[in-house]
Amino acid sequence: MNAKVGLIFYFVSMLLTFFSRRIFLECLGDEFIGLASTLYSILNFLNISEIGIGTCIAYFLYKPIADQDHPKICEIVSLFGYLYRIIGSIILIGAIIISAFFPLIFQEQNVSLKLVYFAFYSFLGTHLIGYFINYRQILLDSDQKTYKISLWTQTVGAIATIIQIALAYNTHNPYLWVTIQFLLSIVTCWILNWAISREYPWLKTDKNKGRNILKKYPDILVKAKQIVIHRLKNFFLSKSDEILIFAFESLQMVAYYGNYVMIVGKLTALFNSVLVGMNASIGNLVAEGNKWNIRKVFWEYLAFRYWTTGLFIIALAFLINPVIGWWVGPQYILQNHIVFLILLNMYIMLTRPSVDLFINAYGLYDDVWAAYAEGITNLVITLIFGYFYGLIGILLGKIVSMLFLVVIWKPYYLYKCGFKESVGTYWLHVFKHYAILIICLALCYAMSRMTHWETSPTIISILQSAFCITLPVILIYSLLLYLFVPGAKDLTQRIPFLKKR
């Protein structure tokens, strides 16, 4: 259900975003849209203070949810509300301090300070609602009912976008655009809390008791600190690409790279929409303690992750450059070895959750040295090779650091401290995934040698090549995985029309 709802709203959001973007730019002006994006970026930066708390609290909720221990659930959610109130206060203070510098920050921009402050504090109010009021929704997340959150928040969000489109088109007034955003966030807040009270009528929380409750769960702060280090590393490494490319290359290369990142990002968002709620599902699975079932689901989830990622890689390896050439022009096409590094980075990033989610479910966060090591390795390689080779060096820094710490260390850590067995079985089966993907990429390459891309390919020629080359190879790839890797056959039994009668 989480996957179905997530997938539906992914396409709704994508269509609305595509349609609304042009209207907002034309009717409200690119200065205002740029201002809104900048203000959201500032708030996202302030949001760093939250990193790790939600994940940590969710981990401590899995066991009492499995045991239906209502008093303990109420205590942990109350503690979460107490911690979120502290974090919300920190964000509010930080926002007020930063806003004091807006006259300097926006002095050369063609936008009024009145609008800047109105938009910023409206966005801030929307942001803080989640910390001061909507904190109870973590129970829906941890209880594998994320779809209920999505149903309300995404529906109201879609309605807000439609209203904003109509107002922007008819009034060209940015103040109304911002006001609608804020008012409907209040409506969402009220609906969510109504839905939570209806779902869990026994849930009684008291944030004022948070300090005393925290003394009963000292491990929460220990886990939170460990998670923060890992998340901060991920935040800075994932948000630094454009800055580094600008520093070592040029703004032009940032634009070139951004085209590829946009395509990869949309596919990643599609992936995540299907797997929304898996954190809670796996967390509850581990909390139940059935080792045989944990291993079974682990191999199913790993098979699904590697299979779908492999589909993306096969398709993108031979279609992304023609799509870029058709979409924005052949002058924006990057060299093949750069595209290879982009896709290799994507492959590692999309397959790593197959191990990471189980590490999170077991609460294994004490390898903080790995976060430091990955960050330092990435930084050193990037600074050295980025200086000499630009974008290639930056991508190498990300890939090499992940190979050692994500691809090699994390599975060993999970098997040693979580599963408590030898990691040899894991590598035996994962190498099958690697071998099958390489064979299929080689086959696809051999078939593509018979096709010569046009300088400016049409969408028809791209689709023809996709159906004649990429699609057959994808079918072969899927068949080989079904026959030779563990978890694939069990995975097919989750498909409704393939279930055994």
Side-chain angles (χ1 to χ4, degrees):
M1 182 61 69
N2 286 328
K4 289 176 182 176
V5 174
L7 193 61
I8 290 170
F9 280 108
Y10 167 81
F11 287 108
V12 171
S13 174
M14 185 174 67
L15 289 172
L16 282 175
T17 300
F18 177 80
F19 181 71
S20 65
R21 181 75 176 180
R22 181 170 180 174
I23 292 178
F24 292 157
L25 285 169
E26 290 179 352
C27 299
L28 301 177
D30 50 8
E31 293 88 357
F32 172 73
I33 299 302
L35 170 67
S37 298
T38 302
L39 296 179
Y40 275 123
S41 296
I42 293 172
L43 290 174
N44 287 335
F45 176 77
L46 290 170
N47 196 48
I48 291 176
S49 58
E50 189 279 339
I51 289 178
I53 299 297
T55 302
C56 180
I57 294 295
Y59 164 72
F60 282 92
L61 278 171
Y62 295 144
K63 182 63 174 174
I65 287 174
D67 297 337
Q68 295 188 0
D69 188 343
H70 293 175
K72 193 170 185 178
I73 292 172
C74 291
E75 281 189 341
I76 294 174
V77 175
S78 296
L79 174 58
F80 183 59
Y82 168 73
L83 294 174
Y84 252 35
R85 184 170 64 184
I86 294 174
I87 293 169
S89 299
I90 293 172
I91 292 174
L92 176 60
I93 294 170
I96 292 172
I97 293 173
I98 290 177
S99 67
F101 296 92
F102 281 174
L104 293 175
I105 296 173
F106 296 101
Q107 64 179 343
E108 296 182 2
Q109 305 301 318
N110 187 27
V111 60
S112 72
L113 279 177
K114 180 181 177 182
L115 178 58
V116 171
Y117 279 107
F118 179 78
F120 180 73
Y121 280 103
S122 295
F123 297 159
L124 177 62
T126 300
H127 204 66
L128 292 179
I129 285 174
Y131 289 98
F132 291 111
I133 303 176
N134 283 347
Y135 65 91
R136 296 194 305 163
Q137 76 178 43
I138 193 172
L139 183 54
L140 286 172
D141 279 323
S142 301
D143 201 17
Q144 306 183 62
K145 295 176 181 177
T146 307
Y147 69 92
K148 295 194 175 185
I149 300 174
S150 299
L151 278 172
W152 292 114
T153 58
Q154 298 284 2
T155 299
V156 175
I159 293 172
T161 302
I162 293 171
I163 295 174
Q164 286 173 320
I165 290 172
L167 288 174
Y169 185 79
N170 289 290
T171 69
H172 297 245
N173 190 327
Y175 289 95
L176 287 177
W177 188 93
V178 173
T179 301
I180 290 299
Q181 189 99 342
F182 178 70
L183 291 178
L184 287 183
S185 69
I186 296 176
V187 173
T188 304
C189 171
W190 181 85
I191 292 174
L192 263 181
N193 279 278
W194 169 81
I196 293 168
S197 297
R198 183 180 178 184
E199 186 73 24
Y200 308 104
W202 47 263
L203 182 62
K204 307 299 180 184
T205 61
D206 186 352
K207 292 183 286 185
N208 294 323
K209 295 180 180 179
R211 183 184 295 273
N212 293 327
I213 296 173
L214 185 59
K215 295 176 182 177
K216 295 176 61 177
Y217 302 95
D219 289 345
I220 286 182
L221 284 183
V222 175
K223 294 286 186 185
K225 291 175 183 177
Q226 294 169 349
I227 296 172
V228 163
I229 294 172
H230 289 283
R231 294 296 178 88
L232 280 175
K233 176 266 300 179
N234 291 337
F235 179 84
F236 286 113
L237 293 186
S238 63
K239 302 298 182 182
S240 61
D241 285 359
E242 286 78 6
I243 296 173
L244 291 170
I245 295 170
F246 169 65
F248 291 123
E249 289 265 9
S250 64
L251 280 174
Q252 187 180 40
M253 184 56 74
V254 173
Y256 285 23
Y257 178 69
N259 295 329
Y260 287 80
V261 170
M262 184 176 294
I263 293 176
V264 170
K266 287 297 182 184
L267 289 176
T268 302
L270 173 61
F271 205 121
N272 292 336
S273 69
V274 173
L275 295 177
V276 63
M278 281 303 297
N279 293 44
S281 300
I282 293 173
N284 281 275
L285 175 71
V286 171
E288 291 170 0
N290 186 325
K291 292 184 177 181
W292 180 87
N293 204 29
I294 290 171
R295 301 298 187 281
K296 177 178 177 293
V297 173
F298 173 73
W299 289 114
E300 286 183 71
Y301 184 63
L302 185 141
F304 180 78
R305 273 277 176 183
Y306 276 82
W307 170 63
T308 48
T309 304
L311 299 185
F312 290 157
I313 296 299
I314 291 171
L316 291 177
F318 299 94
L319 296 176
I320 193 167
N321 273 348
V323 168
I324 292 291
W326 165 76
W327 178 36
V328 290
Q331 70 273 20
Y332 289 96
I333 294 177
L334 294 175
Q335 296 169 304
N336 287 332
H337 56 276
I338 295 178
V339 176
F340 168 77
L341 293 176
I342 292 174
L343 295 183
L344 179 56
N345 178 64
M346 175 188 178
Y347 186 76
I348 297 173
M349 290 297 295
L350 288 183
T351 54
R352 68 177 295 179
S354 56
V355 170
D356 284 351
L357 259 64
F358 282 83
I359 287 177
N360 293 342
Y362 278 101
L364 301 174
Y365 304 113
D366 57 353
D367 63 331
V368 293
W369 69 268
Y372 290 120
E374 184 180 349
I376 293 171
T377 303
N378 182 294
L379 181 63
V380 171
I381 295 175
T382 297
L383 291 178
I384 295 175
F385 287 89
Y387 178 80
F388 291 104
Y389 302 106
L391 178 56
I392 295 174
I394 294 168
L395 291 171
L396 280 175
K398 295 167 70 72
I399 292 168
V400 173
S401 63
M402 286 194 296
L403 282 175
F404 284 109
L405 280 305
V406 174
V407 177
I408 298 176
W409 163 252
K410 288 296 184 180
Y412 172 78
Y413 182 50
L414 172 63
Y415 269 76
K416 180 183 178 181
C417 301
F419 293 163
K420 300 186 186 303
E421 59 186 54
S422 172
V423 75
T425 304
Y426 171 85
W427 284 116
L428 175 64
H429 294 312
V430 166
F431 276 124
K432 292 179 184 178
H433 283 279
Y434 296 158
I436 291 171
L437 179 60
I438 291 172
I439 290 170
C440 290
L441 285 172
L443 176 61
C444 202
Y445 176 76
M447 295 174 66
S448 69
R449 295 286 292 177
M450 298 180 292
T451 301
H452 301 285
W453 294 110
E454 304 168 28
T455 304
S456 299
T458 63
I459 190 63
I460 299 299
S461 67
I462 293 173
L463 291 175
Q464 286 175 342
S465 296
F467 280 105
C468 295
I469 299 175
T470 307
L471 184 59
V473 173
I474 284 177
L475 294 175
I476 294 171
Y477 174 70
S478 302
L479 178 62
L480 291 175
L481 289 182
Y482 179 81
L483 293 174
F484 295 108
V485 302
K489 292 181 181 178
D490 289 331
L491 182 63
T492 59
Q493 297 306 311
R494 294 185 181 272
I495 303 175
F497 61 86
L498 292 179
K499 285 183 178 179
K500 292 179 181 179
R501 303 296 180 186

